[in-house]
Amino acid sequence: MEAYIYDAVRTPRGIGKKTGSLAQVSPVELTTTLLKALKERNNLDTSLVEDLIMGCVTQAGEQGGNVAKVAAQCSGYGDHLAAVSLNRYCAGLEAVNQAAARIRSGWSNLIIAGGVESMSRVPMGIDGSAWVMEPDAAFGKFVPQGISADLIATKYGYSRQDLDTFAFASQQRAAKARAAGYFNRSMIPVKDINGFTHLAQDEYIRSDTTLETLAGLKPSFAMMGEMLFDQTAIDAYVNIERINHIHHAGNSSGLVDGAALMLIGNKEVGEKLGLTPRAIIRMGSVIGSEPLIMLEGPTPATNKALKMAGMNASDIDLWEVNEAFAVVPLRLMENLKIDHSIVNVNGGAIAMGHPLGATGCMILGTALDELERQGKSTALATLCVGGGMGIATIIERV
């Protein structure tokens, strides 16, 4: 049994500060905006939607207490709609993979999956962390992600110019895509109860970015490294004498608010509802990786998904590799010998921001829209994941 994507929607990404355009909008409101859009766009009989699965990393305050179920209750879909909030750190794509697995197994017929993160209202880290509090996990095995990114760059010889060149391309591509309306099919403006628009387009993109302005930015993680974490990394990777700190605010992902959802079901329910399938979810994978270097998971996760699907990297037409840090997609491209011309063709999180639990569903939706725009067939989305994991999903356009 196949799992089909029938629709994909997302909010714009709002700057994740109190001054951002979505800072006055709760995570539940972001989600219900999309749930209502799915209903209206597809003339959806909501009584047939069985579950809402959502990624959310910082599950505290307004995002605590199973935010997905609260959104389900506020959506008008009906009391029958079950919901679960999951946390695989940045791998909110897990929600899509779980939905697809349930559809393919025959356990469910129609599920909505995605994620939400309001980083302006629920700051990252406010929920605490067992990772840093548990001695067996933390001692000699933990550094912040920025240190991990700089460790990877140092280990494999990526320069500041390499990272900044990639970041500049991300900004240029995102600005071009926004201006050309490439995101419009999936983009749902966020409005208040009076119809006033809070935000209709991604606002984090800095179209005036140049290589010169990027070159002038100071490294973000040097001081943190000097305090403690560089030595932890060097003790683990003894062939490295010092960490070259080259990631900064301009070549790392930004903090933003946003949500994304997909309508996923089997063939029979789609026919019953008169829906036209857009893509098949061919395969998903998740792997664990070494937790200190942490961010190398996309390559083994991608290789696992490709192997299980009986495919090669050359079979993929378009790639979406989350730009948590510039070194992450650069490393995947080098490992799998993929040309940048088919990777993140409309920019990525460096330009548009990374709303943690929502990003996976967002980039998969971007890939689907671009497959349709270009008339191509297959896409793969992958993300590095905190604590040393990787996740990937392969889709094929119908």
Side-chain angles (χ1 to χ4, degrees):
M1 186 178 297
E2 300 288 4
Y4 293 95
I5 300 173
Y6 286 104
D7 203 3
V9 293
R10 72 171 179 94
T11 68
R13 295 169 172 97
I15 294 171
K17 299 179 179 179
K18 295 301 181 184
T19 54
S21 295
L22 297 181
Q24 302 304 312
V25 185
S26 74
V28 169
E29 290 176 280
L30 292 175
T31 307
T32 56
T33 292
L34 298 184
L35 288 167
K36 292 171 183 177
L38 284 176
K39 178 181 178 180
E40 292 168 3
R41 283 160 59 109
N42 297 285
N43 192 26
L44 187 61
D45 179 354
T46 60
S47 68
L48 296 180
V49 182
E50 300 163 64
D51 205 358
L52 172 64
I53 307 174
M54 296 190 65
C56 182
V57 174
T58 307
Q59 296 187 24
E62 292 178 286
Q63 287 178 172
N66 193 357
V67 64
K69 180 55 181 170
V70 180
Q73 207 65 37
C74 294
S75 67
Y77 274 46
D79 293 343
H80 74 282
L81 182 57
V84 61
S85 303
L86 57 85
N87 181 4
R88 199 187 284 280
Y89 291 143
C90 306
L93 191 58
E94 174 72 11
V96 172
N97 286 357
Q98 286 195 17
R102 280 174 49 189
I103 299 298
R104 290 180 65 168
S105 72
W107 280 30
S108 296
N109 297 310
L110 189 63
I111 295 174
I112 294 174
V116 66
E117 206 79 36
S118 177
M119 303 185 79
S120 63
R121 297 170 72 96
V122 189
M124 184 168 54
I126 199 172
D127 54 338
S129 174
W131 185 259
V132 298
M133 297 302 293
E134 182 60 44
D136 287 344
F139 185 71
K141 301 175 184 177
F142 171 81
V143 296
Q145 284 193 354
I147 304 295
S148 296
D150 286 337
L151 172 60
I152 293 171
T154 302
K155 181 179 180 182
Y156 297 108
Y158 295 100
S159 68
R160 170 74 179 256
Q161 184 176 2
D162 293 333
L163 306 190
D164 286 357
T165 300
F166 182 89
F168 177 57
S170 182
Q171 293 286 355
Q172 286 190 310
R173 291 177 177 191
K176 178 182 176 181
R178 181 177 61 181
Y182 292 169
F183 303 132
N184 290 354
R185 175 165 185 177
S186 296
M187 187 82 73
I188 305 300
V190 178
K191 301 180 180 182
D192 67 12
I193 58 174
N194 297 312
F196 172 79
T197 299
H198 289 290
L199 188 62
Q201 295 288 335
D202 296 312
E203 72 173 340
Y204 190 80
I205 299 169
R206 298 177 294 279
S207 57
D208 59 348
T209 297
T210 65
L211 286 171
E212 289 72 27
T213 58
L214 290 172
L217 296 174
K218 294 181 179 180
S220 297
F221 308 105
M223 183 177 297
M224 186 185 298
E226 291 173 3
M227 291 172 59
L228 170 66
F229 294 109
D230 277 3
Q231 192 59 52
T232 300
I234 291 168
D235 287 346
Y237 290 84
V238 295
N239 292 329
I240 294 175
E241 295 183 1
R242 62 181 295 275
I243 306 295
N244 186 20
H245 289 288
I246 54 177
H247 282 91
H248 53 74
N251 59 31
S252 306
S253 58
L255 308 182
V256 293
D257 304 334
L261 294 175
M262 283 185 169
L263 183 64
I264 302 169
N266 59 29
K267 182 178 180 180
E268 290 72 23
V269 77
E271 291 175 345
K272 183 175 182 177
L273 291 168
L275 301 174
T276 302
R278 296 177 61 188
I280 296 170
I281 300 175
R282 282 295 184 203
M283 187 57 63
S285 71
V286 65
I287 60 94
S289 61
E290 196 278 300
L292 191 147
I293 206 165
M294 195 183 309
L295 306 175
E296 290 195 299
T299 294
T302 293
N303 285 333
K304 181 180 178 181
L306 289 170
K307 182 178 180 180
M308 291 191 298
M311 301 173 72
N312 298 310
S314 59
D315 296 321
I316 302 300
D317 296 318
L318 294 172
W319 296 75
E320 284 288 329
V321 186
N322 188 38
E323 298 172 0
F325 302 91
V327 77
V328 175
L330 285 173
R331 187 71 191 136
L332 182 88
M333 288 191 292
E334 181 177 357
N335 285 340
L336 299 182
K337 298 178 174 56
I338 308 166
D339 192 87
H340 192 191
S341 63
I342 58 172
V343 176
N344 299 0
V345 298
N346 292 324
I350 288 172
M352 291 180 282
H354 176 20
L356 304 183
T359 304
C361 184
M362 277 190 177
I363 66 175
L364 191 64
T366 297
L368 175 55
D369 285 346
E370 191 63 18
L371 284 178
E372 292 173 338
R373 192 183 74 82
Q374 293 192 26
K376 293 186 176 180
S377 178
T378 58
L380 187 149
T382 182
L383 300 92
C384 60
V385 188
M389 291 182 281
I391 194 167
T393 303
I394 301 170
I395 61 172
E396 181 178 351
R397 185 172 67 93
V398 175

